[in-house]
Amino acid sequence: MSERATREETVNVVWSGNWVAERLGVALEGGDELGDLLGLALRRNPKRAHLLVSNVLGKHVPQLPSVVHGAGYELGERVRALLGPQEARRAVVLGYAETATGLGHAVADGLRDAPYLHSTRRPVAGVAPAGGFEESHSHATSHLLLPEDRDLLAGGGPASTLVLVDDEFSTGNTVLNTVRALHALHPRERYVIVALVDMRSPADRDRLTAFAAEIGARVDLVTRAAGTVALPDGVLERGQALVAEQEARAPASAPPTVPVPARVTRVALDWPAGVPDGGRHGFTPDHRTALEAALPAMAERIATALDADAPGGGDDHGQGADGGRDRIPAAEHDRDRSPARSQGQDRVGDQDRDQDRDQDQGRVRAPRRVLVLGFEELMYAPLRLGTALEELLGARAEVRYSTTTRSPVLAVDDPGYAIRTRLVFPAHDDPADGPGDRYAYNVAGAGFDAVVAVVDSTADTPALHAPDGLLARLAEHTGQVLLAVVPSYTPTPVQEPPVLPEPLRGPDFSSYAPDEVGWLLQDLSDTELEAPTEEREEAIQSGGAHYAESLPVEYQPSPAYQALFTAALETSAARIARAVGTVTETVLAERGPRPVLVSLARAGTPVGVLMRRWARHRHGLDLPHYAISIVRGRGIDATALRWLAAHHDPADVVFVDGWTGKGAITRELAAAIEAFEASGGPAGFDPEIAVLADPGGCVRTYGTREDFLIPSACLNSTVSGLISRTVLRADLVGPDDFHGGKFYRELAASDVSNHFLDTVAARFDDVAAEVDDATKELLAADRAPTWEGWAAVERISEEYGIHDVNLVKPGVGETTRVLLRRVPWKILARRGAGPDLEHIRLLAEQRGVPVEEVDDLPYSCVGLIHPRFTRGATGADGRAVAGGSPVADGGEAVREA
């Protein structure tokens, strides 16, 4: 609804704050709109006598539902414009009980995609609080946070925005208490405070600014109007005396205004299954969609009940005098309980309306003035029922909306006072603080032809139906009372998530320093997992075992091979440093200022450590770095992903590997992340891999696409922190365990892991200028994957009669691993390849594997695993035996079970 239309609904000839202003000298300063939005009342409160009464909130003053919802929705749209659509989707909206539960929900509607939660003063059995805070000036100070999803308040992590919604921003104390409590649990970079009116003093504004600076967060304010409340000296004491004086002469509650109390009729809503009654336990965009779809039908049921059960109208609908519904007899009331209110008073809102009957049709016309009355914190459900009913009835009836409340406010029957009448009735939801009075304001004497009381099932108790209960009190002031009960949402009991294991760190696990990498692995160092290479190969190819269920034997490298590694490292250190710098700068430019590096164990781990060192050396950044297990055909470690999501924003995670071959792990990671999210795992992980070298053209984030020798590929554990490749076996790894790995402490004498890192890092300054140029060039280039390597692998697989791309290992790194860990058949080397293949030729000679030089190879070399392996294909020393090749006639080779 437009602002003009809203003003038309709220502007009165007499300002509803005049009575208080004249007697206490209280004034609203800040423009005419404040007077349109707010009136004034008094309450018995030792901390604040005056009460700002909103004309558009729908709590104390009955208002058009469309105006109430529109006020919050428009604020939500302004927040969405402030944040932008992408950040708005990551935001979480928190409303304050009880007054702003509906307003906060409407703000969340305006943001469209944000989940919503409101604080509550109602404990719920079986739901442990996720937090809480204090509202110092309120009559009921303690707020609980009871989200069903314990991660809801964490939202999208520190980068997400928390939107806090209250009806008024008076001192800022409540907001400060809230942010202080929640920031300690889930630190954020940004908060947005939303209110209908901002009435803080300059000193209060300065306190919030200082607090934001203290916690290092940005705090924005979005309000409809702003001003201040001018309070003269001694106003609290004078206000308390005025309240006592008025209570001594005025009735405690409005007396009956209809000759015969109305009967109460229950109407079945058919509330949609699974949709919460509000935001006490969280309300998601999916819940919103389901509710929106169900609202028209629920409004139709209410409208039908209003027609059928209007006085004298039941028979005309063919349902008998009771309309075919369950009638609840209105109780006889103790009329002496509430002294008679003065007669001849002005009614709140419009004047008395006649209940005209359509004589031509012989039917009772629908009530002209209908109030949808919510219940304390249950504001949103009745509000949306009201908006749907308002739209459905159109000109047939005027629909208004307000709710009952816990807050005691003085009622004064004067046009210049915001609370004209009040109904008093006992609490009917078994509140935690015990029995007490509750209130409905501006309902009695307002000329409502019908009242639709909407409560949740927790509050549908005998006290609601008692002779002095809410329904009986309403029946004294209207011709028709309907009761609509919304089922109280009870969170599905969930088992506490298992305690996730913590990362392993050196020196207890690995030879890396503890800050270099956290291994998301479990230590299987004392478990016998190794098997001879030939036995492993036969078991893998025969289908008897998966390669991740065992480990190859880790041998100490020979002196000749260690010398080769040392020479290769000296030759290629600068080249590696350039690639490390280039890929790190690309990640920092495209994935944010503080990415979380997650290397794929174990080949990616040295690269991840070097990227972390580069970020610290060049930019002073201390990036988190972890190593995670991914297994071809089995996916990524889901427990490790859950751990990462619990400690970091998944959107900040950058997966790191050493190099690409044909791109199998690239595809495996993308499929694994998709499956993880489909199974209910936390969303937001980007499956793209950042690599040092991408000769296969499989990724878009890389240091180079050249296929060159990365010395860390020359060795196994002795260049990877003395950690084995990862293990996944059902009898060792449970559903809540990390994948396994071993720490080969016994190979410490041969460990060159830190020597490799230190040698490369020592060249960082030498290559800095080249890295800057290469990064600028890459960021401006088309880096879309070409998958050139995959095409080459498929061609080689067919040309050599292998017919299995998994047995074709392209690139220097993959070929090295074939020679170290599998049973190689032959090596294809690009003709003219130079020093990068010296270690390949040495290993091939030691294993007795032929090296075949070929043309038109996109890689420096390709390793072919024996495609029909049996132990007869190698000799006793593990060397290849001539003739151990695919059978010439194309028949099946012998496979041992």
Side-chain angles (χ1 to χ4, degrees):
M1 178 164 293
S2 69
E3 181 177 349
R4 182 182 64 82
T6 301
R7 290 171 59 88
E8 290 175 354
E9 290 298 331
T10 58
V11 172
N12 295 312
V13 175
V14 178
W15 177 48
S16 61
N18 276 347
W19 193 93
V20 175
E22 291 172 356
R23 286 160 177 78
L24 295 182
V26 177
L28 302 186
E29 300 176 350
D32 293 340
E33 188 177 15
L34 282 178
D36 298 341
L37 292 175
L38 299 173
L40 292 174
L42 298 177
R43 58 184 175 180
R44 183 180 291 280
N45 187 305
K47 302 173 184 176
R48 187 191 301 173
H50 74 278
L51 176 71
L52 299 176
V53 179
S54 173
N55 292 317
V56 298
L57 184 64
K59 173 55 73 171
H60 304 90
V61 179
Q63 179 59 275
L64 296 178
S66 57
V67 171
V68 176
H69 186 254
Y73 192 92
E74 289 171 6
L75 288 170
E77 288 187 314
R78 289 175 56 191
V79 175
R80 179 180 173 84
L82 173 69
L83 298 179
Q86 183 173 357
E87 189 171 345
R89 282 192 291 271
R90 289 156 55 100
V92 178
V93 181
L94 175 64
Y96 287 94
E98 73 179 43
T99 310
T101 59
L103 176 67
H105 213 142
V107 169
D109 288 347
L111 264 79
R112 303 181 196 172
D113 301 314
Y116 175 63
L117 177 74
H118 70 68
S119 65
T120 182
R121 296 188 177 102
R122 179 199 284 179
V124 178
V127 182
F133 52 89
E134 295 297 312
E135 184 179 4
S136 57
H137 68 269
S138 174
H139 64 282
T141 61
S142 295
H143 289 247
L144 300 173
L145 298 175
L146 304 178
E148 179 176 22
D149 179 1
R150 305 288 288 185
D151 294 329
L152 188 148
L153 286 170
S160 67
T161 300
L162 181 64
V163 181
L164 300 105
V165 183
D166 208 351
D167 58 315
E168 64 179 75
F169 202 25
S170 299
T171 63
N173 289 336
T174 302
V175 168
L176 289 178
N177 291 339
T178 308
V179 174
R180 183 177 287 110
L182 296 183
H183 197 77
L185 295 174
H186 306 289
R188 278 183 162 79
E189 298 170 1
R190 189 172 189 180
Y191 297 86
V192 177
I193 313 302
V194 180
L196 289 169
V197 292
D198 177 6
M199 306 298 290
R200 291 173 302 151
S201 67
D204 290 330
R205 297 172 192 270
D206 292 342
R207 282 196 308 122
L208 181 60
T209 302
F211 177 70
E214 174 189 330
I215 64 174
R218 173 177 173 178
V219 179
D220 296 293
L221 268 73
V222 175
T223 62
R224 178 162 170 172
T228 57
V229 182
L231 299 174
D233 293 339
V235 68
L236 179 59
E237 294 77 12
R238 290 164 52 204
Q240 289 173 337
L242 186 57
V243 170
E245 174 189 335
Q246 291 295 316
E247 287 182 339
R249 70 169 65 168
S253 184
T257 58
V258 296
V260 179
R263 301 177 70 185
V264 180
T265 302
R266 188 186 297 268
V267 56
L269 289 176
D270 288 346
W271 187 264
V275 174
D277 53 288
R280 180 178 287 111
H281 305 297
F283 200 94
T284 68
D286 288 341
H287 292 145
R288 182 178 299 117
T289 299
L291 177 59
E292 294 286 349
L295 281 172
M298 290 192 287
E300 184 68 46
R301 294 184 189 97
I302 294 173
T304 300
L306 287 170
D307 284 344
D309 294 308
D315 291 338
D316 292 327
H317 288 262
Q319 295 176 345
D322 289 342
R325 286 170 174 77
D326 176 21
R327 287 190 176 273
I328 306 170
E332 292 295 325
H333 300 286
D334 180 4
R335 304 298 170 86
D336 294 333
R337 183 176 184 274
S338 303
R341 187 165 62 92
S342 61
Q343 300 300 311
Q345 66 174 23
D346 291 326
R347 294 182 184 272
V348 179
D350 294 342
Q351 301 301 311
D352 293 296
R353 298 169 183 266
D354 296 328
Q355 290 190 357
D356 296 332
R357 288 172 170 76
D358 187 342
Q359 300 296 336
D360 293 338
Q361 298 297 323
R363 297 159 66 96
V364 176
R365 193 170 180 180
R368 284 186 168 185
R369 189 166 169 81
V370 178
L371 174 67
V372 178
L373 183 67
F375 156 62
E376 297 186 25
E377 292 178 10
L378 186 74
M379 295 188 70
Y380 184 73
L383 172 61
R384 297 314 314 279
L385 290 170
T387 59
L389 188 64
E390 181 183 6
E391 182 176 356
L392 175 65
L393 295 180
R396 294 169 55 198
E398 177 186 308
V399 179
R400 295 274 170 160
Y401 160 81
S402 64
T403 78
T404 66
T405 176
R406 301 166 60 103
S407 178
V409 184
L410 176 70
V412 177
D413 185 16
D414 187 286
Y417 189 82
I419 304 298
R420 302 287 300 280
T421 65
R422 74 175 182 179
L423 297 179
V424 183
F425 53 91
H428 52 90
D429 62 339
D430 191 23
D433 55 354
D437 286 340
R438 298 294 185 263
Y439 310 92
Y441 296 112
N442 292 329
V443 175
F448 290 114
D449 302 307
V451 176
V452 182
V454 183
V455 303
D456 58 22
S457 56
T458 298
D460 186 16
T461 63
L464 176 68
H465 303 268
D468 61 348
L470 172 62
L471 297 179
R473 299 308 322 277
L474 293 174
E476 295 175 337
H477 297 276
T478 185
Q480 186 179 9
V481 177
L482 299 183
L483 174 63
V485 179
V486 178
S488 298
Y489 184 76
T490 302
T492 302
V494 294
Q495 295 181 343
E496 285 295 321
V499 177
L500 296 174
E502 286 299 308
L504 301 173
R505 296 184 182 273
D508 296 327
F509 189 84
S510 89
S511 60
Y512 292 132
D515 63 326
E516 298 269 35
V517 59
W519 298 87
L520 301 181
L521 297 174
Q522 63 167 311
D523 189 354
L524 299 179
S525 300
D526 297 329
T527 304
E528 190 67 35
L529 294 168
E530 290 78 11
T533 301
E534 291 72 30
E535 291 183 12
R536 292 185 72 250
E537 190 67 50
E538 185 173 17
I540 293 168
Q541 290 201 32
S542 68
H546 190 276
Y547 78 90
E549 294 178 351
S550 62
L551 293 173
V553 177
E554 289 268 350
Y555 296 104
Q556 285 192 345
S558 67
Y561 197 75
Q562 286 180 312
L564 176 62
F565 166 81
T566 301
L569 178 58
E570 290 299 325
T571 301
S572 61
R575 195 176 185 183
I576 297 169
R578 280 195 299 272
V580 167
T582 302
V583 71
T584 307
E585 294 295 341
T586 303
V587 166
L588 292 174
E590 296 188 335
R591 298 294 299 275
R594 295 190 61 83
V596 177
L597 304 178
V598 178
S599 56
L600 304 181
R602 68 185 166 182
T605 308
V607 178
V609 175
L610 285 170
M611 291 176 66
R612 183 179 184 278
R613 288 191 178 189
W614 178 277
R616 184 173 55 189
H617 181 75
R618 289 295 306 278
H619 303 285
L621 296 175
D622 190 16
L623 301 183
H625 176 221
Y626 306 95
I628 192 173
S629 170
I630 185 169
V631 177
R632 182 171 53 80
R634 300 282 182 88
I636 201 163
D637 187 337
T639 301
L641 288 181
R642 291 198 300 272
W643 190 95
L644 288 168
H647 294 79
H648 300 281
D649 184 350
D652 291 336
V653 168
V654 177
F655 293 103
V656 174
D657 207 357
W659 56 85
T660 63
K662 55 183 174 290
I665 290 298
T666 304
R667 295 171 184 248
E668 184 77 40
L669 180 60
I673 294 297
E674 182 179 359
F676 175 74
E677 293 185 357
S679 67
F685 289 102
D686 186 339
E688 181 176 329
I689 304 177
V691 299
L692 206 58
D694 179 36
C698 307
V699 300
R700 64 180 306 276
T701 305
Y702 52 84
T704 180
R705 275 187 167 159
E706 297 177 7
D707 184 20
F708 71 98
L709 171 61
I710 300 173
S712 60
C714 297
L715 302 173
N716 283 332
S717 67
T718 53
V719 77
S720 301
L722 297 181
I723 301 300
S724 71
R725 48 160 303 282
T726 60
V727 175
L728 177 58
R729 207 170 78 188
D731 61 327
L732 299 173
V733 179
D736 298 317
D737 295 329
F738 291 147
H739 292 187
K742 299 187 73 168
F743 177 25
Y744 292 113
R745 298 174 178 83
E746 64 274 16
L747 299 182
S750 302
D751 185 26
V752 292
S753 303
N754 288 291
H755 172 62
F756 169 69
L757 299 173
D758 294 343
T759 302
V760 174
R763 308 301 296 273
F764 283 170
D765 287 334
D766 298 340
V767 301
E770 297 175 72
V771 167
D772 290 341
D773 292 340
T775 302
K776 291 179 183 178
E777 183 178 341
L778 278 179
L779 291 174
D782 178 9
R783 293 175 283 128
T786 63
W787 295 99
E788 177 185 6
W790 187 271
V793 167
E794 289 182 323
R795 173 177 55 81
I796 292 168
S797 176
E798 296 306 310
E799 285 183 4
Y800 284 83
I802 298 174
H803 309 300
D804 183 353
V805 292
N806 290 322
L807 301 181
V808 180
K809 304 294 185 180
V812 176
E814 293 299 306
T815 301
T816 301
R817 297 205 290 187
V818 166
L819 289 165
L820 290 174
R821 301 208 302 253
R822 302 293 292 269
V823 175
W825 173 33
K826 62 177 63 179
I827 305 300
L828 308 182
R830 187 170 60 204
R831 196 178 309 278
D836 285 339
L837 297 190
E838 287 186 10
H839 77 292
I840 294 291
R841 299 182 190 280
L842 176 62
L843 282 174
E845 180 182 355
Q846 291 176 344
R847 297 290 305 271
V849 177
V851 176
E852 179 180 329
E853 293 196 355
V854 296
D855 297 314
D856 300 325
L857 197 64
Y859 302 93
S860 297
C861 59
V862 175
L864 305 182
I865 296 174
H866 203 294
R868 297 289 189 271
F869 179 79
T870 66
R871 270 167 282 186
T874 61
D877 59 359
R879 294 165 63 89
V881 175
S885 60
V887 292
D889 60 3
E892 290 296 325
V894 177
R895 292 173 182 252
E896 296 183 9

